Amino acid sequence: MADSMFSSSASAKDSASSEIGSERTLYPYVTGTSVLGMKYKDGVIMAADMGGSYGSTLRYKSVERIKPIGKHSLLGASGEISDFQEILRYLDELILYDNMWDDGNSLGPKEVHNYLTRVMYNRRNKFNPLWNSLVLGGIKNGQKYLGTVNMIGTHYEDSHVATGFGNHLARPILRAEWREDLTFEEAVKLLEKCLLVLLYRDRSAINKFQIAKITEEGATIFPPYALKTFWGFAAFQNPTKGAEGSW
């Protein structure tokens, strides 16, 4: 009888432990949209809006999705905000552990990007992915670096990258107009052109943006600002024109 009660109790405990152990992000709830990044003359520049969507509702309007990582890197994220916070905790531990060596060296953007690709691929293999697409840029010893990695570990380096809708709508503009010798002012103007296209076409984008840059002097994240918009285009005023007979 006692054995039976113990067995039953242990079984219930195991079941409860199993349920607790299976808590994870099964579906992204609060998400951010596109992040844009590109190299320019003096370093790397990134841009993202500050919206956080709860499903299809634009719930939060001051979400910072670009963060400095160590001395040489900037990280931008689209996707699930809570998973981005978890990634930042991983990176805090990584940078702290690296600093504890006190050997005069510090992790550069390439090392951080490689670390993130391993983390994302490892979590994907456990069927417990971090629901983010990341942009990692930086500069160390005069070498500019820019790369991206998504939730299943697919990663690459390029002179300009984008996540989310930006990968479809902004990168064609960047391919056509990006130059390696862009000044900071020209780079900002090009990013603003891309952000405006995303604002018009991506329902999750809002007109509150942050731009960040990283150079040999360090990282700078600028205060948020809005872009001037124009909604008088004929396509916006009569979106069903040419679609007679549809719904």
Side-chain angles (χ1 to χ4, degrees):
M1 178 73 175
D3 288 347
S4 172
M5 287 174 62
F6 177 79
S7 171
S8 169
S9 171
S11 171
K13 186 176 179 182
D14 289 346
S15 174
S17 301
S18 174
E19 288 180 14
I20 293 171
S22 66
E23 288 181 3
R24 62 187 70 178
T25 305
L26 299 176
Y27 187 83
Y29 281 89
V30 179
T31 59
T33 184
S34 309
V35 178
L36 311 177
M38 66 181 183
K39 297 176 184 176
Y40 73 105
K41 185 178 179 181
D42 299 321
V44 172
I45 187 169
M46 282 189 202
D49 73 19
M50 300 187 72
S53 299
Y54 181 75
S56 59
T57 303
L58 189 57
R59 174 66 180 81
Y60 304 102
K61 298 179 181 177
S62 294
V63 180
E64 295 185 8
R65 297 188 290 119
I66 303 176
K67 298 286 186 180
I69 305 297
K71 298 178 181 177
H72 309 287
S73 307
L74 275 177
L75 177 66
S78 58
E80 172 61 41
I81 301 302
S82 64
D83 282 353
F84 178 44
Q85 293 168 337
E86 180 75 359
I87 290 168
L88 291 176
R89 280 195 286 271
Y90 291 163
L91 291 171
D92 281 345
E93 290 181 10
L94 178 73
I95 298 299
L96 178 63
Y97 182 75
D98 180 56
N99 288 342
M100 287 168 61
W101 284 96
D102 197 23
D103 58 359
N105 192 22
S106 54
L107 291 173
K110 184 175 179 64
E111 291 79 38
V112 176
H113 186 225
N114 286 339
Y115 170 80
L116 289 171
T117 63
R118 297 300 91 207
V119 167
M120 302 300 272
Y121 186 65
N122 175 263
R123 291 289 293 263
R124 172 253 189 174
N125 285 345
K126 292 179 177 178
F127 295 91
N128 182 18
L130 294 160
W131 293 72
N132 298 103
S133 291
L134 306 173
V135 174
L136 193 289
I139 182 168
K140 184 179 179 184
N141 299 329
Q143 296 294 312
K144 291 174 277 192
Y145 184 91
L146 183 64
T148 182
V149 57
N150 67 11
M151 63 181 286
I152 62 172
T154 303
H155 60 281
Y156 61 89
E157 302 169 43
D158 208 339
S159 297
H160 49 77
V161 299
T163 65
F165 257 97
N167 206 29
H168 305 282
L169 299 178
R171 290 209 69 197
I173 299 171
L174 294 173
R175 289 189 189 104
E177 300 186 24
W178 177 85
R179 305 189 321 273
E180 197 165 356
D181 62 345
L182 287 171
T183 65
F184 175 70
E185 291 74 19
E186 290 172 330
V188 169
K189 198 169 287 187
L190 180 54
L191 283 180
E192 286 180 345
K193 183 176 183 179
C194 296
L195 291 171
L196 203 56
V197 169
L198 291 169
L199 179 60
Y200 286 141
R201 295 297 179 187
D202 182 357
R203 70 162 189 187
S204 298
I206 68 169
N207 194 8
K208 185 179 180 183
F209 303 102
Q210 262 191 319
I211 284 183
K213 69 172 183 176
I214 186 160
T215 64
E216 288 283 15
E217 283 73 44
T220 305
I221 299 179
F222 296 94
Y225 68 102
L227 292 174
K228 187 175 180 182
T229 57
F230 174 72
W231 295 94
F233 296 112
F236 291 144
Q237 294 175 342
N238 187 8
T240 61
K241 184 179 181 181
E244 292 81 1
S246 66
W247 291 97

